[in-house]
Amino acid sequence: MSMLTFWPWIALALLSGLFVFSSALCLCYAIGTDAAARGASGVGWTVFAVLFLPIAVPVYAVYRTRLPARDASPEPLERGLGAFGIGGTAAFITSALVAPPDPLTQLLYLVPSVLVFVPAAAVVYYKPDWRALVS
């Protein structure tokens, strides 16, 4: 195979890596802003999430049940970045679990997963009627 046939796969891998990295940063931002809106240390939670993201998400999910409810609903920027972070991270995890252990196949599973999980996160996580998820 020539090198020209590998360029689409290299481009897909680089774009997927950029997507996973940016969705993880957006998830850290969402954790930090939610913590700050509830009276906890937003900077502290953001740093904790950046350094230890796999354990920071469940730890914050348990910890936030002890925090007071938010006074105001999330701003549009927080909603958008939070939905991108939650949906993108869920799409990456799902594609890694569902796809065969081939990196190229996992990249191909990531694209449709993103198209499903990011809008679903925007609808489910920030729907005002479902206060149990965000309060």
Side-chain angles (χ1 to χ4, degrees):
M1 288 187 127
S2 71
M3 190 61 164
L4 291 176
T5 59
F6 287 116
W7 282 110
W9 293 110
I10 293 171
L12 181 63
L14 289 174
L15 287 174
S16 298
L18 180 64
F19 170 79
V20 169
F21 178 72
S22 61
S23 67
L25 286 180
C26 288
L27 183 58
C28 296
Y29 171 79
I31 289 172
T33 55
D34 187 64
R38 295 173 187 272
S41 172
V43 173
W45 275 104
T46 302
V47 170
F48 179 65
V50 166
L51 295 176
F52 305 106
L53 187 61
I55 63 169
V57 173
V59 167
Y60 182 69
V62 170
Y63 178 73
R64 71 185 264 184
T65 59
R66 299 186 309 177
L67 294 174
R70 294 177 70 127
D71 293 333
S73 63
E75 297 291 323
L77 177 67
E78 182 183 352
R79 287 178 190 224
L81 292 179
F84 179 71
I86 293 166
T89 305
F92 174 71
I93 291 170
T94 302
S95 67
L97 293 175
V98 173
D102 172 27
L104 296 177
T105 308
Q106 289 178 356
L107 290 176
L108 292 176
Y109 275 59
L110 181 63
V111 174
S113 298
V114 166
L115 296 175
V116 170
F117 281 102
V118 171
V123 169
V124 172
Y125 188 74
Y126 291 112
K127 188 173 174 114
D129 298 339
W130 295 7
R131 296 304 295 168
L133 292 175
V134 293
S135 61

